[in-house]
Amino acid sequence: MRVLTIMMILAVFAIIGCKSNSQKKSLSGTFTKQSKSEYSTASDTLIITPSTQSNNSYEIERRTGFQKIRNGELQAKEYKTEKWQSSWSEDKQVLSETEYGRQITPSIDGNSVTLKNTLYQKIK
């Protein structure tokens, strides 16, 4: 009876471990969005990778390329890159960055993430 109880406890821990690993895998990836207005065009990319510092820590790299439109003509393309650290909150199901309060929420299927009110689609 005691062996059966120990095996059941180990099975529960194994299931919990698999669940947290699958969540971590779905958070990683490259996500993109494109936008256009009468004043500019832009492409925005988020690259989310697990950090080597801890299990719940992620590195986020945001790459933005944009072109201003002045008098109906596209200007030269400009680029911005920023990097930050975030941590995964299992309770809230969100990646949080503390310096600026940015939060990234992954979709249930892992094919998209939301930063503020902006939806990014997974490309790889």
Side-chain angles (χ1 to χ4, degrees):
M1 187 67 172
R2 194 174 246 183
V3 172
L4 182 61
T5 304
I6 292 171
M7 290 181 68
M8 291 175 79
I9 291 171
L10 290 174
V12 168
F13 283 121
I15 291 170
I16 291 171
C18 289
K19 183 178 177 184
S20 66
N21 286 342
S22 66
Q23 180 64 52
K24 186 154 182 112
K25 185 176 182 181
S26 68
L27 290 173
S28 300
T30 302
F31 302 84
T32 188
K33 74 157 187 93
Q34 295 186 0
S35 60
K36 185 175 183 175
S37 73
E38 66 180 286
Y39 302 107
S40 67
T41 62
S43 60
D44 207 6
T45 303
L46 294 177
I47 302 169
I48 303 173
T49 54
S51 176
T52 56
Q53 295 176 358
S54 74
N55 283 342
N56 291 333
S57 187
Y58 288 83
E59 295 174 4
I60 313 293
E61 182 176 351
R62 184 178 187 181
R63 298 177 182 171
T64 305
F66 59 96
Q67 287 181 282
K68 296 175 185 174
I69 300 173
R70 298 297 180 256
N71 298 322
E73 293 187 26
L74 280 173
Q75 303 298 303
K77 196 161 194 175
E78 299 178 48
Y79 299 94
K80 288 197 302 188
T81 301
E82 59 181 325
K83 295 180 181 183
W84 68 85
Q85 295 289 319
S86 63
S87 58
W88 173 250
S89 170
E90 191 67 39
D91 297 338
K92 296 178 183 177
Q93 297 288 298
V94 70
L95 276 171
S96 297
E97 180 269 339
T98 56
E99 187 175 344
Y100 297 105
R102 293 178 275 212
Q103 294 186 331
I104 296 175
T105 307
S107 64
I108 293 171
D109 62 4
N111 290 326
S112 64
V113 296
T114 304
L115 172 63
K116 297 182 185 179
N117 293 325
T118 305
L119 182 67
Y120 292 78
Q121 295 297 320
K122 188 170 192 170
I123 58 171
K124 64 176 174 172

